[in-house]
Amino acid sequence: MSARIIIVVFLQTVLLQILAGQTVSPKDNYQISGKVIDKSNDSPLEFSTISVYSADSNLVTGGLAGPDGAFAIKVGPGHYYAIVQFISYEKITIPNIIVSDEKRSYKTGIIELSPEATALDEVTVTAEKSEMVIHLDKKIFNVGKDLSNTGKSALDILDNIPSIAVDLDGNVSLRGSENLQILVDGKPSGMVSAGNTDALRNLQGTMIERVEVITNPSARYEAEGMAGIINIVLKKDQQKGINGSFEGTAGYPHEYSLGANVNFRKEKINYFLNYNIRYNERPGTGNSYQYFNLPDTAYITRVDRSRNRTGLSNRLRGGFDYLINSKNTLTAAFLLGISDEPTISNIWYYDYTVSEVPLSTSHRRDEEHEDELDMEFSLNYTKLFRNEDHKFTALIQYIKDAETEKSEITEELITEGGQIFQNSLNKESERNLLLQADYIYPFGNKGQFETGYRSEFRNIANPFYVEETNEAGNPVRIPEFSNNIDYFENVHALYAQGGNAFGWFTFLLGLRMEISDVRTYFDNAEDGSNRLYTDFFPTLHTTFQINESNSVQLSYSRRINRPHFWLLNPFYSYSDDRNIRTGNPNLQPEYTHSLEAGYLLKNPSFDFYTGFFYRHTSGVIERIADLDTATGIIYVIPVNLSERQSYGLEANVSVDVFKWWTLTGDLNFFQSSTYGRLDTIILESEDYSWHTRMNSKIKLPYNIDFQTIFFYRAPQETTQGKRLAFYMLNMALSKDILKGKGTLTLNVRDVLNSRRFKYIIDQSDLYSENEHRRAGRIFTLTFIYRLNQKKRAGRSARNGEDFGGEEMGF
C-alpha cells in the first residue's frame, strides 16, 4: 500500500509541475495595464480584482492589483471591456478596450473606486443575498436571511432547509436518505464528525454563513454520500479594518448563548475569530405499546419515557489569511470545542397479559455524564497563475477528538421488590489526518481541466463496558456489552475531470479512483475485519442553456456509502435494557448509481427548479428490529439488505410576490422499492412518501420582518412497518434598532406543539406503536449587534449570484 501511494503522489507531482510550467503563448505578449486607488484618499487598493471580458461578454482573463495598486494583464489582440472591483467599493466598468498589433499595450490610467453607499450612509438600502439561491447543480441557503435560524444550532438550521429532514435522534436525511456527506468549508471536520449528531447540536448558527446542498456531486468531491453533500460554510470576512457581529440569545425552556464573529484586516493579513458559548436544556418524552407474540406465550408491555438533556458547550475558531503576494495566499485555522452534557433518562415498564391484567412494573433511571474535547488544525495554500481560474491549492488538516460517556443506572423492580445497579463507560478518541491537492487549468473561453489527490487517515479507539453489581456489592462486567474496538479507515483518491462549452451545450466529464483500507479490531479477535478494495467513480454533468432564463441539466454519478464507526460499533447504548441499539462490525459498503435531470427558470423576481432523480443501490444498510424470543429484548441492528430502487421528484420555487413579501416553497416526492433477507425472513417494501415546506417572509413598516415556516412529512411504509405523518410550524419576528446596527429577533419553534415522531413495527412476533418527542415548543429572544457592518436589505439579488463550488456553472 505505501509503495502505491508513493507512486501516486510522485505522478501527481510530476503532472502538476508540467502543467504549472507551461509558458504563455506569444500572442499573450499584449497587455492591459493601469492603477487602482481609493477616490476618497488616493491610497492604492492592493488586491483589487480586474476581470477582462470579450465584446460578447465572455470572461477572458483577469488579475489582481499589486501593493501599489498597479496591474498588468496579458491578453491577445481583440476588443474587450474590463470590470474593476474591490470589497466594499463600487465597481467600475472600462469599455472599448482595443488591443492590436498597432497598439500592443492599452493603459487605463488611474482608476478611482468610491466606497459603497453602505460605508458612507448609516441607513442605505442595497441589494441583499436571497435566502435561497438555486443553481442546477446545487442550492445555496443563506442562513442569516432566515429569521427562524436566529439563535439556533446547526442541526436546527438543517431542519429548516428544503429537501433536508432531521429525525428524533438528530439523524439528517436528504431526499429521504440518510446516506449523505456533511462537510465544513468543503472538507471533513470534527465539528460534524460522521455519525455524531451531538456535534451538529453544539455548532451554533451564529458561526454559519450559508449551507450548500449538492445532490449529484462531480468527481472533485469525495464519492462518499449517496444522496449527496451538505456543505456548511462558516463566516469569514475580508473587509479592511475591524468588523464583526456579536449575538446573545435567551429562551424557554432554558436556552442561553453568546457568540462573536470578528475580522481584522490590515495590509496583507486578514485575521478571523469566532466564539460561541451555549447552555440549553432539552426535555423529551416518549411512549410505546408493544405486543409480544412468542412461541410459548404472549404479553403486552407499555413503556413511558422522559429525558432531560442539558449541555454547556464552547466553540472557538480562529485563524488568518496571509496574502504573500497577488498570486500566493496561505490560510491557517484552528478549532477548539469543549462540551459537558449530562442527561437524565427515566423509563417506566408496565407488563400485562393479553387481557390487560398487570404482571409487573419497573422503573429504570440513567444518569449519564458526557464530556467532549475537539481540536482541529488546518493549513491551506493557494497559488494563482494567469488568473483566478488557473490555480493550485494544497491542504493539510489534523483532527483530534475525545469523548467520554459515563452512566450510572438504577432499576427499581416495583412489583417483585429489589433494585439492580449498573454502570457503563464508553470512551471514544479519534485522530484524523487529511492531505489534499487540486490543480485547475482553464483553456479556451470556457474550457477547464482539473485534477487532484486526496488521502485521509482515520483512527478511532473505543473501549466500552457495562457492569452490574452482584449480591456481594461488587461490580461484575457483562461480557456481551464489554469490548475494545480499534478502527482504522484510510482512503486514498485520485481524480481528473474536464469540460467545455459549445454554444448552448456544456459538459463536465470526470473519473475518481478511491483505494479504501478499512480495518476493525476487537479484544475478541473473532469480531475483527480487514477490507482493502479499489473503486472507480465516473461522473457526467451536462447543461443545455435554452436561453438566458431557461436551462436543463442531466447528470450521472456513482457513489459509495462506507458504514461509519457508530454503525460498526457493537455497543451503542444501555439506557433501555429492553430496547437496545447496537452496531454491526460485519457491515459492507453500499454502492449507488445516481441519475438526475433538472430544469431551472430564473428571472429577477421568480426562481423555479424542478428535478427528477433515480438511484439504484446495492448492499442497502437498514436498521432492523430483531426480537430475542428467549429474553423478550428488542435489538435494533443495522444490516445489509439486497437492493433498493428509489425515484423522486423535487420542485423548488422562490417568488417576490410584492416588494414586501417573499414566498419560497419546496415539494419532494420519493418512491422506493427495497428487497432483502434477514436469516429466513424476507424484508421488502414498496413505499412512497412526500414532504413539503412553505416559507413566507413579510417586510412590515418600522424595519420589522415577520416570517412563518410550515413543514409537513407524509406517512411512509418501511420494511418492518410504517412511519406516521409529522408536521411543524415555526414563526419569527425581527426589528432593526440602533440605526441598523442591531437587530432583535423573537423566535417560536414548534408553535403548534406538534413535533412528535410516530412509527409502527408490525411483524409476526412483535407489534409496536411508538411516539417520541425530542423537545416541545421553544421560545427564544436574540439580540445581534454589528460592528462596522451594515445589515443589507432590499431586492433579492437572484441572477448572477454565486458563492463558489463547481466551476463553469456546473
Side-chain angles (χ1 to χ4, degrees):
M1 171 60 69
S2 59
R4 185 184 301 179
I5 298 303
I6 291 172
I7 293 171
V8 165
V9 175
F10 174 77
L11 292 175
Q12 186 76 9
T13 303
V14 171
L15 175 62
L16 293 177
Q17 291 295 326
I18 292 173
L19 292 173
Q22 292 183 351
T23 58
V24 180
S25 59
K27 74 174 185 177
D28 289 336
N29 291 328
Y30 306 82
Q31 71 174 16
I32 301 171
S33 61
K35 183 176 182 179
V36 186
I37 66 171
D38 186 328
K39 186 176 182 179
S40 62
N41 56 24
D42 294 334
S43 62
L45 291 178
E46 184 183 6
F47 305 116
S48 296
T49 302
I50 300 91
S51 303
V52 179
Y53 294 83
S54 62
D56 56 357
S57 298
N58 289 319
L59 178 63
V60 176
T61 185
L64 300 175
D68 58 352
F71 65 88
I73 302 172
K74 294 182 179 181
V75 296
H79 291 213
Y80 305 98
Y81 69 90
I83 296 178
V84 183
Q85 52 191 338
F86 190 74
I87 295 172
S88 299
Y89 285 75
E90 300 286 352
K91 66 182 179 182
I92 284 182
T93 299
I94 304 173
N96 302 323
I97 299 175
I98 300 175
V99 180
S100 63
D101 290 334
E102 292 76 21
K103 188 176 182 181
R104 291 175 172 265
S105 178
Y106 183 94
K107 297 182 180 180
T108 65
I110 295 178
I111 302 170
E112 298 178 330
L113 298 186
S114 301
E116 287 182 346
T118 51
L120 301 173
D121 202 346
E122 286 294 332
V123 187
T124 301
V125 177
T126 60
E128 70 170 1
K129 297 177 182 177
S130 305
E131 288 179 24
M132 177 174 66
V133 181
I134 303 173
H135 296 273
L136 279 169
D137 67 310
K138 64 183 174 182
K139 299 171 189 68
I140 300 171
F141 302 91
N142 295 295
V143 170
K145 296 303 171 185
D146 191 331
L147 303 181
S148 64
N149 289 330
T150 306
K152 300 301 181 183
S153 71
L155 200 64
D156 296 326
I157 289 171
L158 292 182
D159 202 17
N160 262 350
I161 290 178
S163 304
I164 297 176
V166 179
D167 69 9
L168 169 72
D169 298 314
N171 298 308
V172 180
S173 62
L174 176 61
R175 289 176 168 175
S177 173
E178 295 180 11
N179 300 322
L180 54 90
Q181 178 85 331
I182 299 179
L183 305 176
V184 174
D185 288 335
K187 56 184 182 291
S189 173
M191 299 173 111
V192 291
S193 54
N196 186 358
T197 58
D198 293 337
L200 287 170
R201 289 191 181 98
N202 291 332
L203 176 57
Q204 195 68 359
T206 184
M207 299 174 69
I208 300 174
E209 173 73 20
R210 65 184 185 272
V211 176
E212 300 174 344
V213 179
I214 307 170
T215 53
N216 213 11
S218 73
R220 175 193 304 167
Y221 297 95
E222 290 180 82
E224 181 77 24
M226 293 186 300
I229 292 173
I230 297 174
N231 184 31
I232 299 173
V233 181
L234 302 181
K235 291 179 179 178
K236 187 175 69 172
D237 210 331
Q238 292 282 350
Q239 296 186 59
K240 278 191 172 183
I242 187 169
N243 63 89
S245 62
F246 305 87
E247 180 177 308
T249 297
Y252 174 84
H254 300 286
E255 176 86 34
Y256 310 101
S257 69
L258 292 172
N261 297 281
V262 180
N263 281 79
F264 175 68
R265 178 173 176 177
K266 184 178 181 181
E267 303 299 334
K268 295 185 176 183
I269 301 182
N270 176 61
Y271 300 95
F272 53 91
L273 183 69
N274 315 109
Y275 175 71
N276 180 266
I277 182 171
R278 179 176 184 240
Y279 174 82
N280 68 348
E281 295 185 8
R282 284 289 181 269
T285 60
N287 61 79
S288 299
Y289 167 86
Q290 300 169 341
Y291 178 84
F292 297 87
N293 185 22
L294 305 182
D296 57 346
T297 186
Y299 63 93
I300 296 170
T301 297
R302 299 184 186 275
V303 183
D304 289 329
R305 299 179 177 87
S306 70
R307 186 182 74 168
N308 188 24
R309 183 185 186 92
T310 63
L312 177 65
S313 64
N314 294 264
R315 286 288 184 273
L316 175 65
R317 174 180 175 266
F320 64 87
D321 301 308
Y322 176 55
L323 307 176
I324 302 171
N325 53 44
S326 61
K327 300 291 185 180
N328 297 272
T329 304
L330 190 67
T331 300
F334 73 91
L335 164 72
L336 176 63
I338 302 174
S339 61
D340 177 18
E341 298 182 330
T343 301
I344 297 178
S345 302
N346 289 279
I347 304 175
W348 288 265
Y349 304 101
Y350 306 95
D351 298 319
Y352 301 87
T353 67
V354 292
S355 58
E356 299 285 345
V357 176
L359 292 174
S360 65
T361 302
S362 61
H363 170 222
R364 187 175 178 87
R365 180 181 175 88
D366 179 4
E367 297 184 10
E368 179 185 276
H369 299 272
E370 179 179 333
D371 299 316
E372 186 171 355
L373 174 64
D374 303 322
M375 293 185 291
E376 181 178 314
F377 306 92
S378 65
L379 190 64
N380 198 320
Y381 169 72
T382 300
K383 164 71 175 178
L384 300 180
F385 295 92
R386 290 183 300 170
N387 52 53
E388 292 185 354
D389 295 325
H390 186 190
K391 62 184 177 181
F392 168 77
T393 60
L395 166 70
I396 180 171
Q397 176 179 275
Y398 178 73
I399 299 173
K400 182 179 180 181
D401 298 335
E403 181 179 343
T404 301
E405 298 176 2
K406 296 180 180 179
S407 284
E408 296 179 358
I409 303 169
T410 303
E411 184 165 355
E412 184 180 2
L413 308 177
I414 298 173
T415 303
E416 298 88 343
Q419 289 183 320
I420 298 174
F421 299 98
Q422 298 170 330
N423 65 83
S424 68
L425 174 69
N426 185 23
K427 295 184 67 175
E428 178 188 339
S429 61
E430 176 180 357
R431 297 173 186 268
N432 186 305
L433 176 64
L434 173 64
L435 305 174
Q436 182 171 322
D438 300 276
Y439 177 78
I440 302 176
Y441 177 75
F443 59 87
N445 288 333
K446 295 185 178 180
Q448 174 183 293
F449 172 76
E450 180 177 349
T451 185
Y453 156 79
R454 186 182 191 276
S455 281
E456 184 175 5
F457 307 86
R458 188 178 181 211
N459 170 232
I460 300 177
N462 187 195
F464 57 90
Y465 65 76
V466 176
E467 296 179 335
E468 183 170 310
T469 304
N470 61 18
E471 294 180 356
N474 299 318
V476 179
R477 290 197 177 182
I478 304 176
E480 57 265 38
F481 296 108
S482 302
N483 213 320
N484 184 17
I485 181 173
D486 217 359
Y487 175 77
F488 296 87
E489 181 183 278
N490 302 327
V491 180
H492 312 282
L494 277 176
Y495 80 91
Q497 64 180 16
N500 208 337
F502 301 97
W504 50 269
F505 174 72
T506 310
F507 77 94
L508 181 67
L509 178 65
L511 179 65
R512 186 179 186 91
M513 179 189 74
E514 293 191 350
I515 304 171
S516 304
D517 180 11
V518 181
R519 290 167 284 156
T520 309
Y521 301 103
F522 296 89
D523 283 348
N524 180 358
E526 296 179 359
D527 292 333
S529 63
N530 296 319
R531 302 181 183 93
L532 177 62
Y533 48 93
T534 300
D535 293 299
F536 293 89
F537 302 96
T539 63
L540 174 64
H541 293 73
T542 61
T543 300
F544 304 86
Q545 191 71 43
I546 302 170
N547 52 44
E548 290 185 0
S549 301
N550 297 268
S551 52
V552 175
Q553 185 199 50
L554 299 174
S555 62
Y556 163 80
S557 68
R558 185 173 185 254
R559 313 287 298 165
I560 187 175
N561 177 46
R562 301 177 185 90
H564 58 69
F565 169 73
W566 277 109
L567 285 176
L568 297 171
N569 190 345
F571 179 82
Y572 191 92
S573 173
Y574 201 63
S575 297
D576 185 347
D577 63 347
R578 296 196 191 186
N579 300 272
I580 298 175
R581 283 195 160 198
T582 74
N584 179 359
N586 297 314
L587 284 178
Q588 300 293 327
E590 299 174 296
Y591 291 94
T592 292
H593 295 278
S594 177
L595 289 166
E596 187 167 338
Y599 165 73
L600 176 62
L601 170 64
K602 293 176 71 75
N603 65 48
S605 62
F606 179 85
D607 284 355
F608 174 74
Y609 171 84
T610 183
F612 171 81
F613 67 88
Y614 167 77
R615 295 193 297 257
H616 180 272
T617 304
S618 58
V620 174
I621 297 175
E622 185 162 325
R623 292 181 177 91
I624 301 298
D626 185 26
L627 174 63
D628 186 335
T629 56
T631 62
I633 296 176
I634 300 172
Y635 292 91
V636 179
I637 307 170
V639 299
N640 287 105
L641 298 180
S642 295
E643 63 179 28
R644 172 179 294 152
Q645 297 190 73
S646 302
Y647 308 82
L649 181 66
E650 176 184 4
N652 301 99
V653 63
S654 179
V655 184
D656 291 336
V657 183
F658 301 105
K659 290 183 178 180
W660 49 270
W661 187 17
T662 300
L663 279 176
T664 60
D666 73 278
L667 174 65
N668 279 262
F669 173 87
F670 40 88
Q671 186 270 343
S672 65
S673 303
T674 305
Y675 174 84
R677 180 188 296 270
L678 182 63
D679 297 327
T680 60
I681 303 173
I682 300 296
L683 296 172
E684 57 183 344
S685 67
E686 288 280 349
D687 65 271
Y688 68 90
S689 186
W690 60 277
H691 61 75
T692 186
R693 182 184 279 103
M694 292 296 298
N695 186 338
S696 169
K697 186 175 180 181
I698 298 175
K699 295 183 178 296
L700 301 174
Y702 306 107
N703 293 322
I704 296 175
D705 290 337
F706 176 63
Q707 184 176 21
T708 58
I709 297 177
F710 178 76
F711 174 80
Y712 174 80
R713 186 182 66 193
Q716 182 179 3
E717 299 290 334
T718 67
T719 54
Q720 290 191 299
K722 185 177 184 180
R723 189 185 66 194
L724 303 184
F726 160 77
Y727 63 93
M728 183 172 65
L729 177 68
N730 299 332
M731 289 186 176
L733 190 71
S734 77
K735 176 174 173 55
D736 291 343
I737 58 177
L738 303 177
K739 297 183 178 180
K741 293 183 178 180
T743 302
L744 276 174
T745 302
L746 175 65
N747 210 313
V748 184
R749 186 174 179 83
D750 194 8
V751 175
L752 304 177
N753 208 18
S754 58
R755 192 176 186 180
R756 291 175 169 85
F757 297 84
K758 303 177 183 180
Y759 63 94
I760 294 173
I761 298 175
D762 190 359
Q763 298 291 289
S764 59
D765 54 2
L766 171 65
Y767 177 83
S768 175
E769 297 178 359
N770 307 272
E771 177 180 311
H772 297 282
R773 183 174 164 191
R774 188 168 59 199
R777 189 182 296 115
I778 301 173
F779 300 85
T780 58
L781 181 65
T782 301
F783 171 66
I784 299 174
Y785 179 78
R786 290 171 285 276
L787 175 65
N788 294 331
Q789 288 184 346
K790 299 289 182 268
K791 180 184 179 182
R792 300 187 173 192
R795 184 181 62 82
S796 298
R798 299 181 185 278
N799 292 307
E801 182 175 25
D802 200 354
F803 304 93
E806 295 286 359
E807 307 292 336
M808 300 165 50
F810 288 102

